[in-house]
Amino acid sequence: MSTDIRRIAVNTGGGDAPGLNAVIRAVVLSAEQLGWEVFGIRESYDGLLDGDGVVPLDRAAVRGITHQGGTILGTTNRGNPLRWPVEEEDGSVTHVDRSQEVIDALAEREIDALIAIGGDGSLDIAHTLFQKGLKVVGVPKTIDNDLAATNLTFGFITAVETATDAIDKLHSTAEAHQRVMVVEVMGRNAGWIALFSGVAGSADVILIPEIPYDLDRVCARIEERYVVEKREFAIVVVAEGAYPVGGEPLFLQAGGGQERLGGMAHKVATDIEDRTGRETRHLVLGHLQRGGGPNSYDRLLALRFGAAAVKLVRDGRFGCMVALDPPDVLAVPLGEAIARIKTVPLDGDIIETARALGTCMGD
Ligand code: F6P
């Protein structure tokens, strides 16, 4: 039990995910019960490094936010304090380590511990700050569900619902025009969103980064549907990180540590139309998948994570992250959580289910 805690800070880093506000609310209300003061750092660590972006959070500040999307603290997936970009006189950009400034800024405000809510990048920063002496507890967040050491991250199921809803809607327009519709979903280099929404939404083809796809197989499945099954439309779900056998993922922006995947739905749609002669359209769901409020599952998970994080601080279990190990929320070392990304296991039952339903997985 750690008895020397009086003031804690909380921040949200990386891309937003539905449920961030629910975590913040649970942190503030549980900390208040222990008699602690809570402060929110604006925009990840920027609030500590640039100006005065540290705000007190009390019961009133977190009233009515459980169901709201985004984050009341703001976030960024740029501006890593371990590699802070600095523009030189000649226009070139170098990077400096400002982690000690983060630690000093918290100490100046007599903040005893930090609860860092983030994905792999933000938790990597949190882990380094912990190694440098800061008392840190992590909370895993990402719609991609690609964090190791936790069964699920909040925001993922909401993103899957958004994607499934879109796939459902595509069925009627695809059927009306006898078209192939190719929809690109997020997920970085993991196919969780594509697989879950594709199976739930009865896609005919699901392409994920874990299984490089063979265009011949994809087109054969589409032809089978039109010609043999006499269902003259098809739905293809493509993870943004998917790529063909012998090929590579596509990027909208590459290099500089700020890579943005994208463009695969357009490529797959063009290739299908060229190969089959069937009219094909594509769309990219993009940030819709991160927007809006969390569904009830994600709200609950986020609230559980927030309350559990405060317990870890109370118990002095720094350098740990809260994690879902159904049915429990427990603590795992931050180092374990950031050691690798969690991809879709090829022998998992959801891929087996997809295949049992006749879905082409690209192979
Ligand atoms: O990690 C969450 C995520 O939404 C990914 O699925 C996606 O590749 C990326 O963030 C997009 O980031 P940005 O907000 O920079 O466009």
Tab-separated table of all heavy atoms in Angstrom, residues 238-293:
chain	number	residue	atom	x	y	z
A	238	VAL	N	-11.568	-4.845	-46.302
A	238	VAL	CA	-10.110	-4.819	-46.385
A	238	VAL	C	-9.547	-4.057	-45.187
A	238	VAL	O	-9.896	-2.894	-44.965
A	238	VAL	CB	-9.646	-4.081	-47.672
A	238	VAL	CG1	-8.131	-4.132	-47.798
A	238	VAL	CG2	-10.293	-4.680	-48.891
A	239	ALA	N	-8.668	-4.697	-44.433
A	239	ALA	CA	-7.968	-3.982	-43.363
A	239	ALA	C	-6.976	-3.016	-44.009
A	239	ALA	O	-6.372	-3.336	-45.042
A	239	ALA	CB	-7.223	-4.978	-42.485
A	240	GLU	N	-6.792	-1.844	-43.408
A	240	GLU	CA	-5.899	-0.845	-44.020
A	240	GLU	C	-4.467	-1.361	-44.166
A	240	GLU	O	-3.710	-0.896	-45.011
A	240	GLU	CB	-5.906	0.457	-43.214
A	240	GLU	CG	-5.391	0.300	-41.783
A	240	GLU	CD	-5.392	1.596	-40.984
A	240	GLU	OE1	-5.743	2.660	-41.534
A	240	GLU	OE2	-5.032	1.533	-39.790
A	241	GLY	N	-4.112	-2.363	-43.353
A	241	GLY	CA	-2.740	-2.892	-43.411
A	241	GLY	C	-2.615	-4.148	-44.260
A	241	GLY	O	-1.542	-4.761	-44.318
A	242	ALA	N	-3.696	-4.543	-44.960
A	242	ALA	CA	-3.649	-5.769	-45.781
A	242	ALA	C	-2.742	-5.554	-46.995
A	242	ALA	O	-2.510	-4.419	-47.413
A	242	ALA	CB	-5.059	-6.140	-46.236
A	243	TYR	N	-2.242	-6.641	-47.545
A	243	TYR	CA	-1.398	-6.534	-48.746
A	243	TYR	C	-1.395	-7.874	-49.482
A	243	TYR	O	-1.681	-8.920	-48.894
A	243	TYR	CB	0.029	-6.100	-48.371
A	243	TYR	CG	0.735	-7.024	-47.413
A	243	TYR	CD1	1.574	-8.031	-47.872
A	243	TYR	CD2	0.540	-6.899	-46.038
A	243	TYR	CE1	2.217	-8.886	-46.984
A	243	TYR	CE2	1.172	-7.744	-45.149
A	243	TYR	CZ	2.013	-8.730	-45.625
A	243	TYR	OH	2.632	-9.579	-44.752
A	244	PRO	N	-1.092	-7.842	-50.802
A	244	PRO	CA	-1.120	-9.089	-51.578
A	244	PRO	C	0.131	-9.937	-51.359
A	244	PRO	O	1.166	-9.413	-50.920
A	244	PRO	CB	-1.172	-8.584	-53.025
A	244	PRO	CG	-0.584	-7.224	-52.985
A	244	PRO	CD	-0.822	-6.655	-51.619
A	245	VAL	N	0.014	-11.199	-51.692
A	245	VAL	CA	1.181	-12.092	-51.632
A	245	VAL	C	2.286	-11.455	-52.485
A	245	VAL	O	2.037	-11.033	-53.613
A	245	VAL	CB	0.818	-13.486	-52.204
A	245	VAL	CG1	2.063	-14.367	-52.300
A	245	VAL	CG2	-0.259	-14.153	-51.368
A	246	GLY	N	3.460	-11.353	-51.916
A	246	GLY	CA	4.588	-10.772	-52.651
A	246	GLY	C	4.560	-9.249	-52.708
A	246	GLY	O	5.472	-8.631	-53.260
A	247	GLY	N	3.526	-8.643	-52.135
A	247	GLY	CA	3.431	-7.177	-52.170
A	247	GLY	C	3.668	-6.566	-50.795
A	247	GLY	O	4.175	-7.225	-49.887
A	248	GLU	N	3.271	-5.308	-50.655
A	248	GLU	CA	3.490	-4.589	-49.397
A	248	GLU	C	2.278	-3.725	-49.064
A	248	GLU	O	1.499	-3.392	-49.953
A	248	GLU	CB	4.707	-3.670	-49.537
A	248	GLU	CG	5.992	-4.458	-49.537
A	248	GLU	CD	7.220	-3.571	-49.595
A	248	GLU	OE1	7.064	-2.356	-49.793
A	248	GLU	OE2	8.308	-4.133	-49.440
A	249	PRO	N	2.135	-3.371	-47.779
A	249	PRO	CA	1.031	-2.455	-47.430
A	249	PRO	C	1.212	-1.109	-48.139
A	249	PRO	O	2.325	-0.749	-48.516
A	249	PRO	CB	1.176	-2.281	-45.916
A	249	PRO	CG	2.052	-3.381	-45.451
A	249	PRO	CD	2.922	-3.766	-46.601
A	250	LEU	N	0.109	-0.381	-48.289
A	250	LEU	CA	0.171	0.943	-48.919
A	250	LEU	C	0.093	2.035	-47.846
A	250	LEU	O	-0.594	1.881	-46.835
A	250	LEU	CB	-1.000	1.115	-49.889
A	250	LEU	CG	-1.014	0.199	-51.114
A	250	LEU	CD1	-2.264	0.471	-51.952
A	250	LEU	CD2	0.244	0.370	-51.943
A	251	PHE	N	0.788	3.120	-48.109
A	251	PHE	CA	0.797	4.240	-47.163
A	251	PHE	C	0.320	5.522	-47.826
A	251	PHE	O	0.659	5.790	-48.983
A	251	PHE	CB	2.219	4.471	-46.627
A	251	PHE	CG	2.695	3.355	-45.742
A	251	PHE	CD1	3.397	2.286	-46.264
A	251	PHE	CD2	2.409	3.376	-44.387
A	251	PHE	CE1	3.821	1.245	-45.443
A	251	PHE	CE2	2.823	2.342	-43.562
A	251	PHE	CZ	3.535	1.270	-44.089
A	252	LEU	N	-0.463	6.303	-47.062
A	252	LEU	CA	-0.833	7.642	-47.521
A	252	LEU	C	0.318	8.589	-47.213
A	252	LEU	O	0.545	9.576	-47.890
A	252	LEU	CB	-2.080	8.134	-46.782
A	252	LEU	CG	-3.361	7.331	-47.017
A	252	LEU	CD1	-4.467	7.816	-46.099
A	252	LEU	CD2	-3.795	7.445	-48.469
A	253	GLN	N	1.014	8.262	-46.118
A	253	GLN	CA	2.156	9.072	-45.698
A	253	GLN	C	3.155	8.088	-45.117
A	253	GLN	O	2.791	7.260	-44.280
A	253	GLN	CB	1.700	10.059	-44.613
A	253	GLN	CG	2.776	11.000	-44.132
A	253	GLN	CD	2.233	11.916	-43.026
A	253	GLN	OE1	1.068	12.289	-43.024
A	253	GLN	NE2	3.076	12.252	-42.091
A	254	ALA	N	4.384	8.152	-45.587
A	254	ALA	CA	5.375	7.185	-45.111
A	254	ALA	C	6.589	7.919	-44.551
A	254	ALA	O	6.855	9.062	-44.900
A	254	ALA	CB	5.804	6.266	-46.246
A	255	GLY	N	7.291	7.237	-43.635
A	255	GLY	CA	8.554	7.778	-43.126
A	255	GLY	C	8.370	8.821	-42.047
A	255	GLY	O	7.256	9.208	-41.701
A	256	GLY	N	9.488	9.251	-41.488
A	256	GLY	CA	9.491	10.294	-40.463
A	256	GLY	C	8.795	9.877	-39.184
A	256	GLY	O	8.400	10.709	-38.380
A	257	GLY	N	8.619	8.561	-39.012
A	257	GLY	CA	7.970	8.077	-37.794
A	257	GLY	C	6.483	8.407	-37.762
A	257	GLY	O	5.825	8.264	-36.745
A	258	GLN	N	5.941	8.922	-38.882
A	258	GLN	CA	4.528	9.302	-38.888
A	258	GLN	C	3.825	8.612	-40.036
A	258	GLN	O	3.218	9.258	-40.890
A	258	GLN	CB	4.408	10.815	-38.998
A	258	GLN	CG	5.139	11.506	-37.863
A	258	GLN	CD	4.715	12.938	-37.684
A	258	GLN	OE1	4.247	13.567	-38.601
A	258	GLN	NE2	4.883	13.439	-36.488
A	259	GLU	N	3.954	7.307	-40.067
A	259	GLU	CA	3.382	6.567	-41.180
A	259	GLU	C	1.871	6.475	-41.060
A	259	GLU	O	1.340	6.283	-39.978
A	259	GLU	CB	3.984	5.162	-41.197
A	259	GLU	CG	5.466	5.218	-41.511
A	259	GLU	CD	6.140	3.878	-41.437
A	259	GLU	OE1	5.590	2.996	-40.751
A	259	GLU	OE2	7.201	3.721	-42.047
A	260	ARG	N	1.185	6.624	-42.197
A	260	ARG	CA	-0.276	6.474	-42.219
A	260	ARG	C	-0.640	5.502	-43.313
A	260	ARG	O	-0.413	5.774	-44.496
A	260	ARG	CB	-0.947	7.822	-42.471
A	260	ARG	CG	-0.903	8.740	-41.266
A	260	ARG	CD	-1.418	10.111	-41.632
A	260	ARG	NE	-2.795	10.051	-42.104
A	260	ARG	CZ	-3.280	10.801	-43.096
A	260	ARG	NH1	-2.508	11.657	-43.719
A	260	ARG	NH2	-4.548	10.701	-43.453
A	261	LEU	N	-1.175	4.363	-42.896
A	261	LEU	CA	-1.607	3.364	-43.864
A	261	LEU	C	-2.826	3.869	-44.614
A	261	LEU	O	-3.621	4.639	-44.074
A	261	LEU	CB	-1.972	2.069	-43.135
A	261	LEU	CG	-0.802	1.247	-42.585
A	261	LEU	CD1	-1.285	0.328	-41.475
A	261	LEU	CD2	-0.143	0.445	-43.707
A	262	GLY	N	-3.038	3.372	-45.834
A	262	GLY	CA	-4.256	3.730	-46.560
A	262	GLY	C	-4.112	3.524	-48.050
A	262	GLY	O	-3.004	3.544	-48.590
A	263	GLY	N	-5.220	3.286	-48.698
A	263	GLY	CA	-5.215	3.159	-50.163
A	263	GLY	C	-5.494	1.751	-50.647
A	263	GLY	O	-5.652	1.522	-51.852
A	264	MET	N	-5.569	0.781	-49.731
A	264	MET	CA	-5.701	-0.608	-50.174
A	264	MET	C	-7.088	-0.905	-50.753
A	264	MET	O	-7.205	-1.696	-51.688
A	264	MET	CB	-5.365	-1.547	-49.010
A	264	MET	CG	-4.994	-2.948	-49.393
A	264	MET	SD	-3.918	-3.153	-50.843
A	264	MET	CE	-2.287	-3.122	-50.147
A	265	ALA	N	-8.135	-0.256	-50.244
A	265	ALA	CA	-9.476	-0.517	-50.796
A	265	ALA	C	-9.535	-0.071	-52.255
A	265	ALA	O	-10.107	-0.754	-53.101
A	265	ALA	CB	-10.548	0.206	-49.983
A	266	HIS	N	-8.938	1.061	-52.541
A	266	HIS	CA	-8.917	1.566	-53.919
A	266	HIS	C	-8.190	0.580	-54.821
A	266	HIS	O	-8.667	0.224	-55.905
A	266	HIS	CB	-8.239	2.937	-53.950
A	266	HIS	CG	-8.140	3.509	-55.329
A	266	HIS	ND1	-6.942	3.720	-55.966
A	266	HIS	CD2	-9.100	3.867	-56.212
A	266	HIS	CE1	-7.172	4.191	-57.183
A	266	HIS	NE2	-8.462	4.304	-57.358
A	267	LYS	N	-7.039	0.094	-54.356
A	267	LYS	CA	-6.265	-0.857	-55.167
A	267	LYS	C	-7.055	-2.160	-55.376
A	267	LYS	O	-7.165	-2.649	-56.518
A	267	LYS	CB	-4.932	-1.172	-54.465
A	267	LYS	CG	-4.118	-2.234	-55.205
A	267	LYS	CD	-2.836	-2.586	-54.483
A	267	LYS	CE	-2.215	-3.870	-55.015
A	267	LYS	NZ	-2.193	-4.005	-56.477
A	268	VAL	N	-7.609	-2.697	-54.301
A	268	VAL	CA	-8.333	-3.971	-54.407
A	268	VAL	C	-9.536	-3.807	-55.338
A	268	VAL	O	-9.795	-4.659	-56.193
A	268	VAL	CB	-8.760	-4.471	-53.002
A	268	VAL	CG1	-9.724	-5.638	-53.109
A	268	VAL	CG2	-7.529	-4.873	-52.189
A	269	ALA	N	-10.249	-2.687	-55.206
A	269	ALA	CA	-11.432	-2.461	-56.043
A	269	ALA	C	-11.031	-2.370	-57.521
A	269	ALA	O	-11.675	-2.971	-58.392
A	269	ALA	CB	-12.148	-1.183	-55.603
A	270	THR	N	-9.970	-1.628	-57.802
A	270	THR	CA	-9.506	-1.486	-59.189
A	270	THR	C	-9.096	-2.845	-59.751
A	270	THR	O	-9.445	-3.205	-60.887
A	270	THR	CB	-8.294	-0.515	-59.230
A	270	THR	OG1	-8.668	0.675	-58.558
A	270	THR	CG2	-7.880	-0.188	-60.652
A	271	ASP	N	-8.360	-3.601	-58.937
A	271	ASP	CA	-7.891	-4.919	-59.404
A	271	ASP	C	-9.056	-5.876	-59.642
A	271	ASP	O	-9.061	-6.628	-60.619
A	271	ASP	CB	-6.911	-5.527	-58.386
A	271	ASP	CG	-5.586	-4.771	-58.357
A	271	ASP	OD1	-5.362	-3.957	-59.274
A	271	ASP	OD2	-4.789	-4.987	-57.416
A	272	ILE	N	-10.061	-5.850	-58.759
A	272	ILE	CA	-11.215	-6.752	-58.933
A	272	ILE	C	-11.963	-6.374	-60.211
A	272	ILE	O	-12.335	-7.227	-61.015
A	272	ILE	CB	-12.149	-6.696	-57.699
A	272	ILE	CG1	-11.488	-7.360	-56.495
A	272	ILE	CG2	-13.501	-7.365	-58.009
A	272	ILE	CD1	-12.274	-7.232	-55.190
A	273	GLU	N	-12.181	-5.071	-60.409
A	273	GLU	CA	-12.937	-4.638	-61.597
A	273	GLU	C	-12.179	-5.004	-62.879
A	273	GLU	O	-12.772	-5.513	-63.844
A	273	GLU	CB	-13.211	-3.135	-61.542
A	273	GLU	CG	-14.149	-2.674	-62.629
A	273	GLU	CD	-14.710	-1.278	-62.368
A	273	GLU	OE1	-15.682	-1.167	-61.597
A	273	GLU	OE2	-14.173	-0.319	-62.926
A	274	ASP	N	-10.868	-4.775	-62.867
A	274	ASP	CA	-10.059	-5.115	-64.048
A	274	ASP	C	-10.113	-6.615	-64.334
A	274	ASP	O	-10.219	-7.033	-65.483
A	274	ASP	CB	-8.583	-4.719	-63.824
A	274	ASP	CG	-8.399	-3.222	-63.901
A	274	ASP	OD1	-9.362	-2.531	-64.293
A	274	ASP	OD2	-7.301	-2.734	-63.548
A	275	ARG	N	-10.022	-7.409	-63.286
A	275	ARG	CA	-9.930	-8.856	-63.451
A	275	ARG	C	-11.278	-9.496	-63.791
A	275	ARG	O	-11.354	-10.392	-64.619
A	275	ARG	CB	-9.367	-9.460	-62.146
A	275	ARG	CG	-9.099	-10.946	-62.157
A	275	ARG	CD	-7.876	-11.301	-63.008
A	275	ARG	NE	-6.647	-10.717	-62.507
A	275	ARG	CZ	-5.800	-11.326	-61.695
A	275	ARG	NH1	-6.058	-12.538	-61.267
A	275	ARG	NH2	-4.698	-10.723	-61.311
A	276	THR	N	-12.354	-9.026	-63.141
A	276	THR	CA	-13.654	-9.702	-63.304
A	276	THR	C	-14.585	-8.962	-64.272
A	276	THR	O	-15.572	-9.541	-64.742
A	276	THR	CB	-14.408	-9.807	-61.951
A	276	THR	OG1	-14.702	-8.475	-61.502
A	276	THR	CG2	-13.592	-10.531	-60.893
A	277	GLY	N	-14.319	-7.704	-64.513
A	277	GLY	CA	-15.221	-6.900	-65.336
A	277	GLY	C	-16.486	-6.498	-64.583
A	277	GLY	O	-17.405	-5.905	-65.157
A	278	ARG	N	-16.551	-6.799	-63.307
A	278	ARG	CA	-17.737	-6.447	-62.507
A	278	ARG	C	-17.570	-5.027	-61.956
A	278	ARG	O	-16.499	-4.671	-61.479
A	278	ARG	CB	-17.906	-7.409	-61.323
A	278	ARG	CG	-17.853	-8.866	-61.704
A	278	ARG	CD	-19.205	-9.516	-61.493
A	278	ARG	NE	-19.147	-10.892	-61.991
A	278	ARG	CZ	-20.013	-11.398	-62.843
A	278	ARG	NH1	-21.006	-10.664	-63.308
A	278	ARG	NH2	-19.914	-12.655	-63.248
A	279	GLU	N	-18.681	-4.263	-62.033
A	279	GLU	CA	-18.605	-2.889	-61.531
A	279	GLU	C	-18.289	-2.908	-60.035
A	279	GLU	O	-18.964	-3.589	-59.253
A	279	GLU	CB	-19.933	-2.180	-61.781
A	279	GLU	CG	-19.825	-0.688	-61.610
A	279	GLU	CD	-21.111	0.033	-61.986
A	279	GLU	OE1	-22.207	-0.542	-61.799
A	279	GLU	OE2	-21.018	1.167	-62.448
A	280	THR	N	-17.283	-2.155	-59.669
A	280	THR	CA	-16.799	-2.206	-58.280
A	280	THR	C	-16.609	-0.785	-57.744
A	280	THR	O	-16.124	0.094	-58.455
A	280	THR	CB	-15.445	-2.966	-58.224
A	280	THR	OG1	-15.621	-4.246	-58.819
A	280	THR	CG2	-14.969	-3.162	-56.794
A	281	ARG	N	-17.017	-0.560	-56.526
A	281	ARG	CA	-16.818	0.731	-55.864
A	281	ARG	C	-16.078	0.480	-54.547
A	281	ARG	O	-16.155	-0.610	-53.981
A	281	ARG	CB	-18.159	1.396	-55.533
A	281	ARG	CG	-18.953	1.793	-56.750
A	281	ARG	CD	-18.369	3.039	-57.395
A	281	ARG	NE	-19.262	3.560	-58.414
A	281	ARG	CZ	-19.236	3.221	-59.701
A	281	ARG	NH1	-18.334	2.327	-60.115
A	281	ARG	NH2	-20.071	3.752	-60.564
A	282	HIS	N	-15.410	1.528	-54.062
A	282	HIS	CA	-14.737	1.355	-52.768
A	282	HIS	C	-15.042	2.548	-51.865
A	282	HIS	O	-15.400	3.629	-52.360
A	282	HIS	CB	-13.227	1.201	-52.951
A	282	HIS	CG	-12.530	2.508	-53.164
A	282	HIS	ND1	-12.469	3.119	-54.388
A	282	HIS	CD2	-11.884	3.329	-52.284
A	282	HIS	CE1	-11.805	4.254	-54.273
A	282	HIS	NE2	-11.447	4.412	-53.005
A	283	LEU	N	-14.907	2.345	-50.580
A	283	LEU	CA	-14.998	3.447	-49.625
A	283	LEU	C	-14.070	3.168	-48.452
A	283	LEU	O	-13.686	2.024	-48.197
A	283	LEU	CB	-16.431	3.672	-49.132
A	283	LEU	CG	-16.996	2.709	-48.115
A	283	LEU	CD1	-18.115	3.370	-47.355
A	283	LEU	CD2	-17.525	1.457	-48.821
A	284	VAL	N	-13.694	4.261	-47.793
A	284	VAL	CA	-12.776	4.169	-46.648
A	284	VAL	C	-13.529	4.696	-45.431
A	284	VAL	O	-13.932	5.857	-45.416
A	284	VAL	CB	-11.505	5.012	-46.922
A	284	VAL	CG1	-10.554	4.956	-45.734
A	284	VAL	CG2	-10.811	4.554	-48.201
A	285	LEU	N	-13.728	3.858	-44.425
A	285	LEU	CA	-14.499	4.316	-43.250
A	285	LEU	C	-13.720	5.316	-42.410
A	285	LEU	O	-14.287	6.196	-41.771
A	285	LEU	CB	-14.900	3.138	-42.381
A	285	LEU	CG	-16.018	2.254	-42.910
A	285	LEU	CD1	-16.482	1.310	-41.832
A	285	LEU	CD2	-17.195	3.078	-43.428
A	286	GLY	N	-12.413	5.162	-42.353
A	286	GLY	CA	-11.548	6.152	-41.705
A	286	GLY	C	-11.924	6.486	-40.277
A	286	GLY	O	-12.303	5.619	-39.493
A	287	HIS	N	-11.879	7.781	-39.972
A	287	HIS	CA	-12.005	8.211	-38.571
A	287	HIS	C	-13.409	8.103	-38.007
A	287	HIS	O	-13.600	8.305	-36.805
A	287	HIS	CB	-11.447	9.628	-38.433
A	287	HIS	CG	-9.976	9.671	-38.717
A	287	HIS	ND1	-9.480	9.702	-39.996
A	287	HIS	CD2	-8.903	9.616	-37.902
A	287	HIS	CE1	-8.157	9.687	-39.963
A	287	HIS	NE2	-7.779	9.637	-38.698
A	288	LEU	N	-14.392	7.772	-38.862
A	288	LEU	CA	-15.729	7.475	-38.313
A	288	LEU	C	-15.620	6.400	-37.243
A	288	LEU	O	-16.373	6.375	-36.271
A	288	LEU	CB	-16.618	6.905	-39.423
A	288	LEU	CG	-17.469	7.824	-40.259
A	288	LEU	CD1	-18.269	7.011	-41.250
A	288	LEU	CD2	-18.399	8.623	-39.349
A	289	GLN	N	-14.653	5.488	-37.453
A	289	GLN	CA	-14.503	4.356	-36.528
A	289	GLN	C	-14.003	4.792	-35.156
A	289	GLN	O	-14.109	4.057	-34.184
A	289	GLN	CB	-13.530	3.317	-37.120
A	289	GLN	CG	-14.075	2.672	-38.371
A	289	GLN	CD	-12.970	2.080	-39.232
A	289	GLN	OE1	-12.724	0.884	-39.169
A	289	GLN	NE2	-12.302	2.898	-40.031
A	290	ARG	N	-13.409	5.985	-35.088
A	290	ARG	CA	-12.941	6.474	-33.786
A	290	ARG	C	-13.936	7.439	-33.156
A	290	ARG	O	-13.807	7.783	-31.973
A	290	ARG	CB	-11.588	7.183	-33.950
A	290	ARG	CG	-10.481	6.268	-34.407
A	290	ARG	CD	-9.141	6.619	-33.779
A	290	ARG	NE	-8.785	8.000	-33.843
A	290	ARG	CZ	-7.704	8.485	-34.493
A	290	ARG	NH1	-6.914	7.659	-35.156
A	290	ARG	NH2	-7.418	9.756	-34.454
A	291	GLY	N	-14.895	7.897	-33.976
A	291	GLY	CA	-15.784	8.944	-33.493
A	291	GLY	C	-16.972	8.432	-32.701
A	291	GLY	O	-17.230	7.229	-32.650
A	292	GLY	N	-17.673	9.366	-32.071
A	292	GLY	CA	-18.889	9.025	-31.328
A	292	GLY	C	-18.593	8.442	-29.964
A	292	GLY	O	-17.437	8.231	-29.584
A	293	GLY	N	-19.671	8.198	-29.243
A	293	GLY	CA	-19.533	7.699	-27.880
A	293	GLY	C	-19.297	6.198	-27.846
A	293	GLY	O	-19.550	5.498	-28.828
